[in-house]
Amino acid sequence: MSGALRKSLAAALAVGTALVTAPVASAGGHDKTCTSDRACLIEGHDFPGGTLSIDADVVGGPNTVVHLRHKGDHGERCVADFWVNDPPRSWTCPNVRPGHYRVVIDAPDRHDALMVGVRW
């Protein structure tokens, strides 16, 4: 094995090891599944501030528009609309203050499941 190839392999191994062992700086979140409902709510008081990521999916039911909204302690809002037959979707809400968060998915008709998650 040539010296250059050995150095490349050693560098790749070092980078791969660093990626596997690097701790996640600030990770958290919660998720919830609501069945046979027209709305699904997830809320908490442990958001550290920064970017809040929201994941949502709706399973079953007629292909109607679903409304997603976030509201924090300080009145920040993040809203989005999507269709029931869309694949699972994700949105980010930047510059959210720490503290309470409340995310709601409203579907106009009954569905098999509404799923919502928040992460940071």
Side-chain angles (χ1 to χ4, degrees), residues 21-109:
T21 60
V24 176
S26 175
H30 304 281
D31 61 80
K32 184 176 183 180
T33 299
C34 303
T35 57
S36 300
D37 293 330
R38 291 185 182 163
C40 194
L41 162 72
I42 187 168
E43 65 183 321
H45 299 282
D46 56 347
F47 180 62
T51 298
L52 181 68
S53 296
I54 301 171
D55 305 311
D57 193 18
V58 179
V59 177
N63 188 30
T64 53
V65 174
V66 178
H67 187 66
L68 175 140
R69 65 186 186 277
H70 159 263
K71 184 174 186 277
D73 278 339
H74 305 282
E76 303 99 343
R77 292 203 178 266
C78 190
V79 297
D81 291 327
F82 63 101
W83 290 90
V84 169
N85 69 355
D86 284 352
R89 306 276 308 266
S90 295
W91 297 266
T92 57
C93 303
N95 304 315
V96 178
R97 294 184 188 180
H100 182 256
Y101 61 87
R102 176 184 175 117
V103 177
V104 179
I105 297 178
D106 290 314
D109 297 299

